[in-house]
Short mmCIF file of all heavy atoms in Angstrom, two decimals:
data_model
loop_
_atom_site.label_atom_id
_atom_site.label_comp_id
_atom_site.label_asym_id
_atom_site.label_seq_id
_atom_site.Cartn_x
_atom_site.Cartn_y
_atom_site.Cartn_z
N MET A 1 123.75 71.72 63.64
CA MET A 1 123.99 70.73 64.68
C MET A 1 124.72 69.51 64.12
O MET A 1 125.62 68.98 64.76
CB MET A 1 122.66 70.34 65.32
CG MET A 1 122.81 69.48 66.54
SD MET A 1 121.23 69.19 67.33
CE MET A 1 121.61 69.77 68.94
N LEU A 2 124.33 69.06 62.93
CA LEU A 2 125.00 67.91 62.32
C LEU A 2 126.45 68.25 61.98
O LEU A 2 127.34 67.41 62.17
CB LEU A 2 124.25 67.45 61.07
CG LEU A 2 124.88 66.27 60.32
CD1 LEU A 2 125.05 65.05 61.23
CD2 LEU A 2 124.07 65.93 59.09
N LEU A 3 126.70 69.46 61.52
CA LEU A 3 128.07 69.86 61.20
C LEU A 3 128.96 69.79 62.43
O LEU A 3 130.09 69.29 62.37
CB LEU A 3 128.10 71.26 60.60
CG LEU A 3 129.48 71.80 60.22
CD1 LEU A 3 130.14 70.90 59.19
CD2 LEU A 3 129.36 73.21 59.70
N THR A 4 128.44 70.22 63.56
CA THR A 4 129.19 70.14 64.82
C THR A 4 129.49 68.69 65.17
O THR A 4 130.62 68.34 65.54
CB THR A 4 128.40 70.80 65.96
OG1 THR A 4 128.19 72.17 65.62
CG2 THR A 4 129.15 70.71 67.27
N ARG A 5 128.49 67.81 65.05
CA ARG A 5 128.69 66.39 65.36
C ARG A 5 129.73 65.79 64.41
O ARG A 5 130.57 65.01 64.83
CB ARG A 5 127.39 65.60 65.24
CG ARG A 5 126.34 65.89 66.28
CD ARG A 5 126.83 65.56 67.68
NE ARG A 5 125.81 65.68 68.68
CZ ARG A 5 125.11 66.75 68.98
NH1 ARG A 5 125.28 67.86 68.31
NH2 ARG A 5 124.24 66.75 69.96
N THR A 6 129.65 66.15 63.14
CA THR A 6 130.61 65.62 62.16
C THR A 6 132.02 66.00 62.56
O THR A 6 132.93 65.16 62.56
CB THR A 6 130.28 66.16 60.76
OG1 THR A 6 128.96 65.76 60.39
CG2 THR A 6 131.27 65.65 59.72
N LYS A 7 132.23 67.24 62.93
CA LYS A 7 133.56 67.69 63.35
C LYS A 7 134.02 66.96 64.62
O LYS A 7 135.19 66.62 64.75
CB LYS A 7 133.57 69.20 63.57
CG LYS A 7 133.46 69.97 62.28
CD LYS A 7 133.49 71.45 62.51
CE LYS A 7 133.37 72.18 61.18
NZ LYS A 7 133.54 73.61 61.31
N GLN A 8 133.10 66.69 65.52
CA GLN A 8 133.45 65.96 66.74
C GLN A 8 133.85 64.52 66.41
O GLN A 8 134.81 64.00 66.99
CB GLN A 8 132.28 65.98 67.72
CG GLN A 8 132.03 67.35 68.30
CD GLN A 8 130.72 67.43 69.07
OE1 GLN A 8 129.77 66.71 68.80
NE2 GLN A 8 130.68 68.33 70.04
N PHE A 9 133.13 63.88 65.51
CA PHE A 9 133.49 62.52 65.09
C PHE A 9 134.86 62.52 64.43
O PHE A 9 135.68 61.64 64.68
CB PHE A 9 132.43 61.94 64.15
CG PHE A 9 131.31 61.23 64.87
CD1 PHE A 9 130.28 61.95 65.47
CD2 PHE A 9 131.28 59.85 64.95
CE1 PHE A 9 129.25 61.31 66.13
CE2 PHE A 9 130.24 59.19 65.62
CZ PHE A 9 129.24 59.93 66.21
N GLU A 10 135.13 63.50 63.59
CA GLU A 10 136.42 63.59 62.93
C GLU A 10 137.55 63.79 63.95
O GLU A 10 138.61 63.16 63.83
CB GLU A 10 136.43 64.72 61.90
CG GLU A 10 135.57 64.43 60.70
CD GLU A 10 135.48 65.55 59.71
OE1 GLU A 10 135.65 66.74 60.09
OE2 GLU A 10 135.23 65.26 58.52
N LYS A 11 137.30 64.61 64.92
CA LYS A 11 138.32 64.83 65.95
C LYS A 11 138.58 63.55 66.73
O LYS A 11 139.74 63.19 66.99
CB LYS A 11 137.88 65.96 66.89
CG LYS A 11 138.95 66.33 67.88
CD LYS A 11 138.61 67.61 68.61
CE LYS A 11 139.78 67.96 69.49
NZ LYS A 11 139.77 69.33 69.92
N LYS A 12 137.53 62.84 67.10
CA LYS A 12 137.69 61.60 67.85
C LYS A 12 138.43 60.54 67.03
O LYS A 12 139.28 59.82 67.55
CB LYS A 12 136.32 61.08 68.29
CG LYS A 12 136.33 59.80 69.09
CD LYS A 12 136.43 60.06 70.56
CE LYS A 12 136.41 58.79 71.37
NZ LYS A 12 135.44 58.79 72.44
N LEU A 13 138.12 60.48 65.73
CA LEU A 13 138.77 59.51 64.85
C LEU A 13 140.18 59.94 64.45
O LEU A 13 140.97 59.12 64.01
CB LEU A 13 137.92 59.27 63.60
CG LEU A 13 136.61 58.53 63.81
CD1 LEU A 13 135.77 58.57 62.55
CD2 LEU A 13 136.87 57.10 64.24
N GLY A 14 140.45 61.24 64.54
CA GLY A 14 141.76 61.75 64.17
C GLY A 14 141.96 61.84 62.67
O GLY A 14 143.09 61.83 62.18
N ARG A 15 140.84 61.95 61.95
CA ARG A 15 140.90 62.04 60.49
C ARG A 15 139.57 62.56 59.96
O ARG A 15 138.55 62.49 60.65
CB ARG A 15 141.19 60.67 59.88
CG ARG A 15 140.11 59.64 60.19
CD ARG A 15 140.28 58.37 59.39
NE ARG A 15 139.32 57.34 59.76
CZ ARG A 15 138.05 57.29 59.37
NH1 ARG A 15 137.54 58.24 58.63
NH2 ARG A 15 137.27 56.28 59.75
N PRO A 16 139.58 63.07 58.73
CA PRO A 16 138.30 63.47 58.13
C PRO A 16 137.44 62.25 57.84
O PRO A 16 137.96 61.17 57.55
CB PRO A 16 138.71 64.16 56.82
CG PRO A 16 140.17 64.37 56.88
CD PRO A 16 140.72 63.40 57.89
N LEU A 17 136.15 62.42 57.93
CA LEU A 17 135.24 61.34 57.56
C LEU A 17 135.20 61.19 56.05
O LEU A 17 135.24 62.18 55.32
CB LEU A 17 133.82 61.63 58.05
CG LEU A 17 133.57 61.65 59.56
CD1 LEU A 17 132.10 61.94 59.84
CD2 LEU A 17 133.99 60.35 60.21
N ALA A 18 135.13 59.96 55.59
CA ALA A 18 134.91 59.69 54.17
C ALA A 18 133.49 60.12 53.82
O ALA A 18 132.62 60.22 54.69
CB ALA A 18 135.10 58.20 53.88
N GLU A 19 133.24 60.35 52.55
CA GLU A 19 131.91 60.78 52.12
C GLU A 19 130.84 59.77 52.53
O GLU A 19 129.76 60.15 52.97
CB GLU A 19 131.89 61.00 50.60
CG GLU A 19 130.64 61.70 50.13
CD GLU A 19 130.42 63.07 50.78
OE1 GLU A 19 131.38 63.83 50.95
OE2 GLU A 19 129.26 63.36 51.13
N ALA A 20 131.15 58.48 52.42
CA ALA A 20 130.18 57.45 52.82
C ALA A 20 129.90 57.54 54.32
O ALA A 20 128.75 57.36 54.76
CB ALA A 20 130.70 56.06 52.46
N GLU A 21 130.92 57.81 55.12
CA GLU A 21 130.73 57.94 56.57
C GLU A 21 129.89 59.17 56.90
O GLU A 21 129.05 59.14 57.80
CB GLU A 21 132.08 58.03 57.27
CG GLU A 21 132.88 56.75 57.23
CD GLU A 21 134.28 56.90 57.76
OE1 GLU A 21 134.91 57.97 57.55
OE2 GLU A 21 134.77 55.95 58.39
N ARG A 22 130.09 60.24 56.15
CA ARG A 22 129.27 61.45 56.35
C ARG A 22 127.80 61.15 56.06
O ARG A 22 126.91 61.61 56.78
CB ARG A 22 129.75 62.59 55.45
CG ARG A 22 131.03 63.21 55.90
CD ARG A 22 131.47 64.30 54.90
NE ARG A 22 132.69 64.91 55.33
CZ ARG A 22 132.75 66.00 56.09
NH1 ARG A 22 131.64 66.60 56.48
NH2 ARG A 22 133.90 66.50 56.45
N SER A 23 127.56 60.38 55.01
CA SER A 23 126.18 60.02 54.67
C SER A 23 125.55 59.17 55.75
O SER A 23 124.39 59.38 56.12
CB SER A 23 126.16 59.26 53.34
OG SER A 23 126.54 60.10 52.29
N VAL A 24 126.30 58.20 56.25
CA VAL A 24 125.81 57.33 57.33
C VAL A 24 125.51 58.18 58.56
O VAL A 24 124.46 58.02 59.20
CB VAL A 24 126.83 56.22 57.65
CG1 VAL A 24 126.49 55.53 58.96
CG2 VAL A 24 126.90 55.23 56.52
N LEU A 25 126.41 59.07 58.90
CA LEU A 25 126.22 59.91 60.08
C LEU A 25 124.97 60.78 59.94
O LEU A 25 124.17 60.90 60.87
CB LEU A 25 127.46 60.77 60.31
CG LEU A 25 127.57 61.45 61.66
CD1 LEU A 25 127.59 60.45 62.81
CD2 LEU A 25 128.82 62.32 61.71
N ALA A 26 124.76 61.36 58.77
CA ALA A 26 123.57 62.19 58.54
C ALA A 26 122.29 61.36 58.65
O ALA A 26 121.31 61.80 59.26
CB ALA A 26 123.66 62.86 57.17
N GLU A 27 122.31 60.16 58.08
CA GLU A 27 121.13 59.30 58.15
C GLU A 27 120.84 58.90 59.58
O GLU A 27 119.69 58.93 60.03
CB GLU A 27 121.36 58.06 57.27
CG GLU A 27 120.17 57.12 57.20
CD GLU A 27 120.11 56.11 58.33
OE1 GLU A 27 121.18 55.68 58.82
OE2 GLU A 27 118.99 55.77 58.76
N ARG A 28 121.87 58.56 60.33
CA ARG A 28 121.67 58.15 61.73
C ARG A 28 121.29 59.33 62.60
O ARG A 28 120.54 59.18 63.57
CB ARG A 28 122.91 57.44 62.26
CG ARG A 28 123.05 56.09 61.57
CD ARG A 28 124.15 55.26 62.10
NE ARG A 28 124.22 54.04 61.31
CZ ARG A 28 125.25 53.22 61.31
NH1 ARG A 28 126.29 53.44 62.10
NH2 ARG A 28 125.23 52.15 60.56
N PHE A 29 121.78 60.50 62.28
CA PHE A 29 121.38 61.70 63.00
C PHE A 29 119.87 61.89 62.86
O PHE A 29 119.18 62.15 63.85
CB PHE A 29 122.13 62.92 62.46
CG PHE A 29 121.82 64.19 63.17
CD1 PHE A 29 122.51 64.55 64.32
CD2 PHE A 29 120.86 65.06 62.69
CE1 PHE A 29 122.23 65.73 64.98
CE2 PHE A 29 120.58 66.25 63.34
CZ PHE A 29 121.27 66.59 64.50
N ASP A 30 119.37 61.75 61.64
CA ASP A 30 117.93 61.90 61.40
C ASP A 30 117.12 60.77 62.03
O ASP A 30 116.06 61.00 62.60
CB ASP A 30 117.63 61.93 59.90
CG ASP A 30 118.13 63.21 59.23
OD1 ASP A 30 118.37 64.21 59.94
OD2 ASP A 30 118.31 63.19 58.00
N ARG A 31 117.62 59.56 61.93
CA ARG A 31 116.86 58.38 62.40
C ARG A 31 116.98 58.16 63.90
O ARG A 31 116.00 57.85 64.56
CB ARG A 31 117.34 57.13 61.65
CG ARG A 31 116.57 55.88 61.97
CD ARG A 31 116.90 54.73 61.03
NE ARG A 31 118.31 54.48 60.85
CZ ARG A 31 119.03 53.63 61.58
NH1 ARG A 31 118.48 52.95 62.56
NH2 ARG A 31 120.31 53.43 61.31
N LEU A 32 118.17 58.30 64.44
CA LEU A 32 118.42 57.98 65.85
C LEU A 32 118.44 59.19 66.76
O LEU A 32 118.25 59.07 67.97
CB LEU A 32 119.75 57.23 65.99
CG LEU A 32 119.89 55.94 65.17
CD1 LEU A 32 121.31 55.40 65.29
CD2 LEU A 32 118.87 54.92 65.60
N GLY A 33 118.72 60.35 66.18
CA GLY A 33 118.74 61.58 66.96
C GLY A 33 120.11 61.92 67.51
O GLY A 33 121.01 61.06 67.61
N PRO A 34 120.28 63.18 67.89
CA PRO A 34 121.57 63.65 68.37
C PRO A 34 122.00 63.01 69.70
O PRO A 34 123.20 62.84 69.94
CB PRO A 34 121.39 65.16 68.52
CG PRO A 34 119.92 65.37 68.58
CD PRO A 34 119.30 64.25 67.82
N ASP A 35 121.06 62.64 70.54
CA ASP A 35 121.45 62.03 71.82
C ASP A 35 122.16 60.70 71.61
O ASP A 35 123.15 60.41 72.29
CB ASP A 35 120.23 61.82 72.72
CG ASP A 35 119.69 63.13 73.28
OD1 ASP A 35 120.43 64.14 73.27
OD2 ASP A 35 118.53 63.14 73.72
N ARG A 36 121.69 59.89 70.66
CA ARG A 36 122.35 58.61 70.39
C ARG A 36 123.75 58.84 69.81
O ARG A 36 124.69 58.15 70.18
CB ARG A 36 121.50 57.76 69.43
CG ARG A 36 122.17 56.46 69.04
CD ARG A 36 122.39 55.55 70.25
NE ARG A 36 123.08 54.34 69.83
CZ ARG A 36 124.13 53.81 70.47
NH1 ARG A 36 124.58 54.36 71.57
NH2 ARG A 36 124.70 52.73 70.03
N LEU A 37 123.88 59.82 68.93
CA LEU A 37 125.20 60.12 68.39
C LEU A 37 126.14 60.59 69.49
O LEU A 37 127.32 60.22 69.50
CB LEU A 37 125.11 61.16 67.28
CG LEU A 37 124.96 60.60 65.87
CD1 LEU A 37 123.71 59.78 65.71
CD2 LEU A 37 125.04 61.69 64.84
N ASP A 38 125.63 61.37 70.42
CA ASP A 38 126.45 61.79 71.56
C ASP A 38 126.91 60.59 72.37
O ASP A 38 128.06 60.52 72.80
CB ASP A 38 125.68 62.75 72.47
CG ASP A 38 125.52 64.13 71.87
OD1 ASP A 38 126.20 64.45 70.87
OD2 ASP A 38 124.71 64.90 72.42
N ASP A 39 126.01 59.63 72.60
CA ASP A 39 126.37 58.41 73.34
C ASP A 39 127.52 57.68 72.65
O ASP A 39 128.48 57.28 73.29
CB ASP A 39 125.17 57.46 73.46
CG ASP A 39 124.09 57.98 74.38
OD1 ASP A 39 124.35 58.92 75.16
OD2 ASP A 39 122.96 57.45 74.31
N VAL A 40 127.40 57.50 71.34
CA VAL A 40 128.44 56.81 70.57
C VAL A 40 129.75 57.58 70.68
O VAL A 40 130.80 57.01 70.96
CB VAL A 40 128.01 56.66 69.10
CG1 VAL A 40 129.17 56.21 68.23
CG2 VAL A 40 126.84 55.69 68.98
N LEU A 41 129.68 58.87 70.48
CA LEU A 41 130.87 59.71 70.50
C LEU A 41 131.57 59.70 71.85
O LEU A 41 132.80 59.61 71.93
CB LEU A 41 130.48 61.14 70.13
CG LEU A 41 131.58 62.14 69.90
CD1 LEU A 41 132.47 61.72 68.73
CD2 LEU A 41 131.00 63.50 69.65
N LEU A 42 130.82 59.74 72.92
CA LEU A 42 131.40 59.84 74.26
C LEU A 42 131.77 58.49 74.87
O LEU A 42 132.68 58.43 75.70
CB LEU A 42 130.43 60.57 75.19
CG LEU A 42 130.15 62.03 74.82
CD1 LEU A 42 129.03 62.59 75.69
CD2 LEU A 42 131.40 62.87 74.94
N GLU A 43 131.10 57.43 74.46
CA GLU A 43 131.30 56.14 75.13
C GLU A 43 132.21 55.17 74.38
O GLU A 43 132.77 54.27 74.99
CB GLU A 43 129.94 55.47 75.38
CG GLU A 43 129.09 56.26 76.36
CD GLU A 43 127.68 55.69 76.53
OE1 GLU A 43 127.42 54.60 75.98
OE2 GLU A 43 126.87 56.35 77.18
N LEU A 44 132.33 55.33 73.07
CA LEU A 44 133.09 54.36 72.29
C LEU A 44 134.49 54.88 71.95
O LEU A 44 134.64 56.07 71.68
CB LEU A 44 132.36 54.03 70.98
CG LEU A 44 130.99 53.37 71.10
CD1 LEU A 44 130.41 53.13 69.71
CD2 LEU A 44 131.06 52.08 71.88
N PRO A 45 135.47 53.98 71.92
CA PRO A 45 136.79 54.38 71.45
C PRO A 45 136.76 54.57 69.92
O PRO A 45 135.83 54.12 69.25
CB PRO A 45 137.69 53.21 71.85
CG PRO A 45 136.77 52.04 71.95
CD PRO A 45 135.43 52.60 72.37
N ALA A 46 137.78 55.20 69.39
CA ALA A 46 137.82 55.55 67.97
C ALA A 46 137.62 54.34 67.06
O ALA A 46 136.87 54.42 66.08
CB ALA A 46 139.12 56.27 67.64
N ASP A 47 138.26 53.21 67.36
CA ASP A 47 138.12 52.04 66.48
C ASP A 47 136.69 51.51 66.47
O ASP A 47 136.19 51.05 65.45
CB ASP A 47 139.13 50.95 66.83
CG ASP A 47 139.00 50.44 68.25
OD1 ASP A 47 138.48 51.16 69.13
OD2 ASP A 47 139.43 49.30 68.50
N ALA A 48 136.01 51.59 67.60
CA ALA A 48 134.62 51.15 67.68
C ALA A 48 133.70 52.13 66.94
O ALA A 48 132.70 51.71 66.34
CB ALA A 48 134.19 50.99 69.12
N ILE A 49 134.02 53.40 66.96
CA ILE A 49 133.25 54.38 66.21
C ILE A 49 133.37 54.11 64.72
O ILE A 49 132.38 54.14 63.99
CB ILE A 49 133.67 55.82 66.55
CG1 ILE A 49 133.23 56.17 67.98
CG2 ILE A 49 133.09 56.83 65.55
CD1 ILE A 49 133.72 57.50 68.48
N ALA A 50 134.58 53.84 64.25
CA ALA A 50 134.78 53.52 62.84
C ALA A 50 133.96 52.29 62.45
O ALA A 50 133.34 52.26 61.38
CB ALA A 50 136.26 53.32 62.55
N ALA A 51 133.95 51.29 63.31
CA ALA A 51 133.16 50.07 63.06
C ALA A 51 131.68 50.38 63.06
O ALA A 51 130.92 49.87 62.23
CB ALA A 51 133.49 49.01 64.08
N TRP A 52 131.23 51.25 63.96
CA TRP A 52 129.82 51.64 64.04
C TRP A 52 129.40 52.34 62.76
O TRP A 52 128.30 52.11 62.24
CB TRP A 52 129.62 52.54 65.26
CG TRP A 52 128.24 53.00 65.51
CD1 TRP A 52 127.24 52.31 66.12
CD2 TRP A 52 127.70 54.28 65.20
NE1 TRP A 52 126.10 53.08 66.19
CE2 TRP A 52 126.35 54.30 65.64
CE3 TRP A 52 128.20 55.43 64.60
CZ2 TRP A 52 125.52 55.40 65.47
CZ3 TRP A 52 127.38 56.53 64.43
CH2 TRP A 52 126.05 56.51 64.87
N LEU A 53 130.26 53.20 62.24
CA LEU A 53 129.95 53.90 60.98
C LEU A 53 129.92 52.93 59.79
O LEU A 53 129.17 53.14 58.86
CB LEU A 53 130.96 55.02 60.73
CG LEU A 53 130.84 56.24 61.63
CD1 LEU A 53 132.06 57.14 61.46
CD2 LEU A 53 129.56 56.99 61.35
N ALA A 54 130.74 51.90 59.84
CA ALA A 54 130.83 50.95 58.72
C ALA A 54 129.75 49.88 58.76
O ALA A 54 129.48 49.25 57.73
CB ALA A 54 132.21 50.29 58.74
N ASP A 55 129.12 49.68 59.90
CA ASP A 55 128.12 48.60 60.06
C ASP A 55 126.73 49.12 59.68
O ASP A 55 126.16 49.94 60.40
CB ASP A 55 128.13 48.12 61.50
CG ASP A 55 127.17 46.99 61.77
OD1 ASP A 55 126.42 46.59 60.85
OD2 ASP A 55 127.15 46.50 62.90
N PRO A 56 126.16 48.62 58.58
CA PRO A 56 124.84 49.11 58.17
C PRO A 56 123.72 48.75 59.16
O PRO A 56 122.67 49.39 59.16
CB PRO A 56 124.61 48.44 56.82
CG PRO A 56 125.58 47.35 56.72
CD PRO A 56 126.70 47.64 57.68
N ALA A 57 123.94 47.77 60.01
CA ALA A 57 122.91 47.36 60.98
C ALA A 57 123.05 48.04 62.34
O ALA A 57 122.23 47.86 63.21
CB ALA A 57 122.96 45.86 61.16
N ALA A 58 124.09 48.85 62.51
CA ALA A 58 124.33 49.49 63.80
C ALA A 58 123.25 50.52 64.10
O ALA A 58 122.69 51.14 63.22
CB ALA A 58 125.70 50.16 63.81
N SER A 59 122.98 50.65 65.40
CA SER A 59 122.00 51.65 65.81
C SER A 59 122.52 52.41 66.99
O SER A 59 123.56 52.16 67.51
CB SER A 59 120.67 51.00 66.15
OG SER A 59 120.82 50.06 67.18
#
């Protein structure tokens, strides 16, 4: 399930995720759950997703 989400994030961003972004995504997948990741993926534009991945306080 996480691999699918990772590929979806990469497609939305138009680039492969950096290793640090992959780690953040995995941690948030475990902590916030797949529904929250779906919300981010479907509701935010690519630049906001990149910012969400880079912000350690984002939820």
Side-chain angles (χ1 to χ4, degrees):
M1 189 175 235
L2 178 57
L3 180 59
T4 300
R5 291 298 187 301
T6 300
K7 290 181 180 187
Q8 290 170 333
F9 272 79
E10 290 176 334
K11 186 169 185 162
K12 181 90 179 231
L13 290 171
R15 62 170 175 78
L17 293 181
E19 191 58 41
E21 291 172 324
R22 287 177 179 268
S23 294
V24 167
L25 194 60
E27 183 274 327
R28 291 186 183 164
F29 182 86
D30 290 340
R31 184 170 50 92
L32 304 174
D35 288 342
R36 176 63 182 134
L37 268 61
D38 286 347
D39 290 344
V40 169
L41 188 62
L42 296 172
E43 295 175 7
L44 298 180
D47 59 336
I49 290 174
W52 181 81
L53 288 169
D55 181 357
S59 58

